[in-house]
């Protein structure tokens, strides 16, 4: 059974940095893509960034390009999202996801497994 467990969320001031991590277990993810999505109160879940285990190939939402960096550690089976220059509008629950099509898609339905999420709050 696949498990995705997020960690590292918290409260940070605008302009600050935070790193969230996703620990993946339960299967081999070599042919998978891993994504980060976020959902703010009253809004739909939106794509943030994604990465393939192989390559890797990355993909970012325009709103986070140049500020966020996604990376993966094959040995540890973890996927991290380094978030710099944070803004209040980055406040959301951040979810890790794993997709079997192997492409760093921005579409939610391309992901088969989801974590429970971790809260990131950016104060102004």
């Amino acid at each position: 059974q696949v498990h995705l467990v997020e960690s590292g969320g918290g409260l940070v001031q605008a302009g600050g940095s935070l790193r969230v991590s996703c620990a993946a277990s339960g299967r081999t993810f070599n042919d998978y893509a891993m994504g980060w999505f976020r959902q703010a109160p009253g809004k739909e879940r939106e794509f943030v960034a994604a990465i393939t285990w192989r390559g890797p190939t990355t993909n970012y939402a325009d709103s986070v390009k140049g500020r966020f960096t996604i990376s993966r550690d094959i040995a540890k089976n973890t996927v991290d999202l380094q978030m710099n220059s944070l803004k209040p509008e980055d406040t959301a629950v951040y979810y890790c996801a794993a997709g079997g099509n192997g492409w760093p898609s921005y579409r939610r339905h391309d992901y088969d497994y989801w974590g429970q999420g971790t809260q990131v709050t950016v104060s102004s």
Side-chain angles (χ1 to χ4, degrees), residues 44-111:
E44 290 194 358
R45 193 170 299 188
E46 65 175 4
F47 172 73
V48 176
I51 189 169
T52 56
W53 281 108
R54 300 182 187 272
T57 301
T58 59
N59 188 18
Y60 293 93
D62 288 343
S63 60
V64 306
K65 277 182 183 175
R67 299 190 298 123
F68 290 12
T69 302
I70 189 171
S71 62
R72 89 276 186 262
D73 187 321
I74 294 176
K76 296 181 180 179
N77 251 23
T78 57
V79 178
D80 291 350
L81 185 68
Q82 176 66 42
M83 303 180 289
N84 298 329
S85 302
L86 282 160
K87 305 174 182 179
E89 50 263 44
D90 294 318
T91 295
V93 176
Y94 282 70
Y95 296 92
C96 176
N101 65 7
W103 183 250
S105 172
Y106 62 90
R107 300 181 301 187
R108 284 181 296 172
H109 68 257
D110 285 331
Y111 293 86

Side-chain angles (χ1 to χ4, degrees), residues 9 15 18 45 56 99 120:
L18 204 59
R45 193 170 299 188
V120 171

